[in-house]
Amino acid sequence: MPILKSFLKDGEAESYQNVQVKFVPGRKAVMTIYESDDDDEGVGEEESWVEKEQIVLSDYKTKEEMHALMVEKGFQLKSPEEIEAIQKRYKDEAEAERIKAEERREEMRIRQEEKQRQREETMRDETDSGVTDEL
């Protein structure tokens, strides 16, 4: 699964024209291929798309197989400039998420330290006032 996750989350799937990745937590990775219901192929709104095929991506074990699937289904790579922009966007998003996670960990650490200080203060106050817990 790490290879599939990398293929999807690092922007490799979106390196192909007309490909969008939508993450649905807790669900299998399925590629749904749509075709336009309009006579103007590919120009219509999303509402005019008709589901053509669904492919379970976990059946593909390597990135090479996944790229071959994309080509087999008729998807073409975007320009090198577009691919570079996608990779930069994904890298920036991953860095922003890493920073957020680090900030959340630091906030949690501070809250835990504060709770510990409060517990110690309560225990000290109880000891100082001669209050003890009796069962």
Side-chain angles (χ1 to χ4, degrees):
M1 228 29 144
I3 293 172
L4 172 58
K5 186 175 182 179
S6 172
F7 182 77
L8 297 173
K9 287 202 163 217
D10 294 342
E12 287 186 63
E14 289 183 309
S15 296
Y16 292 88
Q17 296 175 13
N18 302 316
V19 172
Q20 294 176 332
V21 174
K22 179 181 175 185
F23 294 97
V24 182
R27 303 280 306 270
K28 278 188 175 183
V30 175
M31 178 169 67
T32 305
I33 300 174
Y34 296 91
E35 64 183 11
S36 177
D37 199 20
D38 291 344
D39 291 336
D40 300 328
E41 190 69 27
V43 177
E45 297 293 320
E46 281 188 33
E47 295 83 37
S48 67
W49 295 352
V50 176
E51 186 177 308
K52 179 179 173 186
E53 181 178 5
Q54 284 194 348
I55 301 163
V56 177
L57 295 178
S58 58
D59 293 343
Y60 297 84
K61 304 302 178 204
T62 67
K63 286 186 178 184
E64 290 77 15
E65 289 177 346
M66 293 174 209
H67 283 288
L69 171 67
M70 300 300 280
V71 171
E72 175 189 321
K73 296 301 175 182
F75 293 101
Q76 296 179 351
L77 279 172
K78 293 178 178 177
S79 71
E81 294 80 17
E82 290 173 303
I83 292 171
E84 185 177 322
I86 290 167
Q87 290 171 341
K88 182 182 182 330
R89 181 180 50 132
Y90 275 89
K91 182 179 178 185
D92 292 348
E93 288 172 0
E95 178 64 13
E97 184 56 38
R98 185 193 65 74
I99 290 169
K100 277 186 194 177
E102 195 173 292
E103 289 170 350
R104 285 190 300 266
R105 282 191 299 273
E106 180 64 13
E107 288 170 4
M108 185 172 284
R109 184 190 64 76
I110 290 170
R111 280 195 302 268
Q112 288 173 340
E113 286 178 356
E114 182 60 29
K115 284 181 183 180
Q116 182 64 29
R117 272 194 293 275
Q118 288 172 350
R119 281 192 292 268
E120 290 170 358
E121 257 182 50
T122 302
M123 289 175 65
R124 208 175 14 256
D125 291 346
E126 289 174 354
T127 303
D128 290 347
S129 66
V131 174
T132 60
D133 289 337
E134 296 181 23
L135 296 175

